Amino acid sequence: AKNNGRNRYSYFTASMQAHAQNRMRLSNDLHLALPGQQFELYYQPIVELATGQVHKAEALLRWQHPTRGMIPPDNFIPLAEETGLIVDIGNWVFYEAARQVKRLQSLHHASFQISINKSPVQFHNETHGHEAWISFLLMNDLPRQSIVVEITEGLLMHTDESISAQLLGFRDAGVQVALDDFGTGYSSLSYLKKFDIDYLKIDRIFVRNLSRNSSDMALCEAIVMMAHKLDIKVIAEGIETEEQRELLQQIGCDFGQGYLFSPPLPAPAFEAYLRP
Ligand code: C2E
Ligand code: CA
Ligand code: CA
Ligand code: CA
């Protein structure tokens, strides 16, 4: 038994060591990803439910690792946040999305919008980052509403002077803000009002089991009603079935996003998707 225990112990440390080594390697590789041009933005359509029109998309980051293939964001964003690399990566995401939105505005629709995800770490580590983005939009004759910044409830919960200033900076410049993953955190209604949030994204956990008399249905309905009272548009995430789409449209949800319409696509495929 003693021997067995020691084996288990050494197995445990060995696997911990492997895990740490793996992280270390991934972290080294992550440093090379930007200079190596290994990042790509995919675009997922955001559909206006009442009309089916697509004048918006969310940009989602993909890392094409030279040997490991495509690494999904959930596997490297946390590491990018811990290492601070998220600031440079996040700026790359902004400039790439801005370049693409300009293209889509001339190819497809003049008021096309792209939303990008901005990590709380970006807000904390680069407190004047929003100013560079705003002047970039100005200098390139891009309408301010070209880019929507998606933030999480956590950012609003742990807000301080600097975060408030940045959010109000976006608002005063006319850059819209969306609250991502709504319902999974604890954001209070007063924040939605205080920061003049433009969009609220209902997290896909509430969409997954949507059916006519479900409690999730009541919840989504209440969120939509409340948001509309505050003059906030609602985007439902993770729509995978026609039934979900129909129910959300019935309760007045403004926009939808999900595999039913399209998965996130590389820019050329997304442009093809938009073509009639
Ligand atoms: P998110 O912002 O909540 O993005 C939506 C996620 O849901 C995306 O995963 C998308 O591919 C996925 N999704 C879309 N439709 C469906 C559906 O119908 N069913 C299901 N099951 N999933 C769907 P993805 O692309 O893997 O991104 C995961 C998360 O990584 C994002 O969640 C976001 O938090 C983060 N992320 C992605 N790109 C960036 C970025 O550029 N910067 C930062 N800071 N975070 C990013
Ligand atoms: Ca998002
Ligand atoms: Ca989300
Ligand atoms: Ca998320």
Side-chain angles (χ1 to χ4, degrees):
K2 209 172 175 186
N3 194 23
N4 190 12
R6 191 191 301 140
N7 281 345
R8 226 182 295 145
Y9 176 76
S10 51
Y11 171 75
F12 183 59
T13 49
S15 87
M16 272 197 346
Q17 216 169 6
H19 181 74
Q21 263 169 11
N22 190 37
R23 274 180 57 85
M24 189 88 116
R25 233 176 272 134
L26 203 62
S27 158
N28 284 335
D29 293 352
L30 195 55
H31 278 88
L32 304 173
L34 260 187
Q37 299 181 296
Q38 292 161 11
F39 288 121
E40 188 177 358
L41 286 186
Y42 276 37
Y43 300 90
Q44 186 175 38
I46 298 175
V47 180
E48 187 173 45
L49 293 179
T51 62
Q53 278 180 335
V54 181
H55 295 164
K56 302 180 197 299
E58 178 174 7
L60 293 157
L61 188 59
R62 299 289 180 264
W63 179 14
Q64 192 63 57
H65 188 281
T67 56
R68 298 187 200 202
M70 182 83 85
I71 304 185
D74 286 333
N75 294 3
F76 69 85
I77 295 283
L79 195 57
E81 290 176 332
E82 284 162 41
T83 54
L85 280 169
I86 192 69
V87 169
D88 287 343
I89 296 173
N91 282 319
W92 180 85
V93 167
F94 169 80
Y95 293 113
E96 182 65 18
R99 201 183 55 73
Q100 184 63 27
V101 80
K102 192 162 184 114
R103 209 179 130 77
L104 292 173
Q105 285 171 355
S106 64
L107 282 178
H108 183 66
H109 196 276
S111 58
F112 205 93
Q113 284 186 312
I114 291 181
S115 24
I116 60 172
N117 295 282
K118 186 163 186 179
S119 152
V121 177
Q122 290 171 264
F123 282 92
H124 287 291
N125 289 17
E126 200 186 34
T127 52
H128 292 278
H130 63 296
E131 289 168 2
W133 291 8
I134 292 163
S135 28
F136 183 88
L137 295 176
L138 270 172
M139 276 173 0
N140 290 278
D141 290 321
L142 277 155
R144 327 292 174 74
Q145 300 196 346
S146 300
I147 297 289
V148 177
V149 177
E150 297 196 0
I151 60 168
T152 55
E153 291 177 287
L155 185 77
L156 295 188
M157 268 173 61
H158 308 292
T159 183
D160 58 19
E161 289 282 297
S162 158
I163 305 291
S164 303
Q166 293 175 67
L167 289 172
L168 296 177
F170 277 134
R171 195 199 63 184
D172 293 343
V175 173
Q176 295 186 318
V177 175
L179 185 57
D180 209 350
D181 305 337
F182 186 76
T184 57
Y186 300 92
S187 58
S188 87
L189 299 182
S190 65
Y191 287 127
L192 297 181
K193 222 173 128 60
K194 179 174 172 199
F195 294 111
D196 211 356
I197 300 290
D198 299 280
Y199 300 98
L200 198 157
K201 302 189 77 170
I202 300 181
D203 194 82
R204 65 168 176 271
I205 61 167
F206 303 108
V207 173
R208 197 188 298 146
N209 301 312
L210 214 54
S211 61
R212 198 160 298 275
N213 292 310
S214 60
S215 54
D216 282 341
M217 181 74 176
L219 210 93
C220 287
E221 208 168 348
I223 293 174
V224 170
M225 265 176 56
M226 171 210 75
H228 285 172
K229 285 235 160 70
L230 294 170
D231 205 22
I232 296 171
K233 300 266 190 226
V234 182
I235 303 171
E237 298 189 307
I239 302 181
E240 295 184 356
T241 70
E242 181 53 36
E243 190 195 5
Q244 291 164 347
R245 190 200 65 76
E246 218 175 284
L247 292 172
L248 286 160
Q249 192 188 333
Q250 271 172 27
I251 60 173
C253 180
D254 304 280
F255 301 94
Q257 196 181 339
Y259 297 158
L260 174 68
F261 307 109
S262 166
L265 301 168
F270 180 63
E271 287 175 18
Y273 171 91
L274 290 178
R275 254 173 254 134

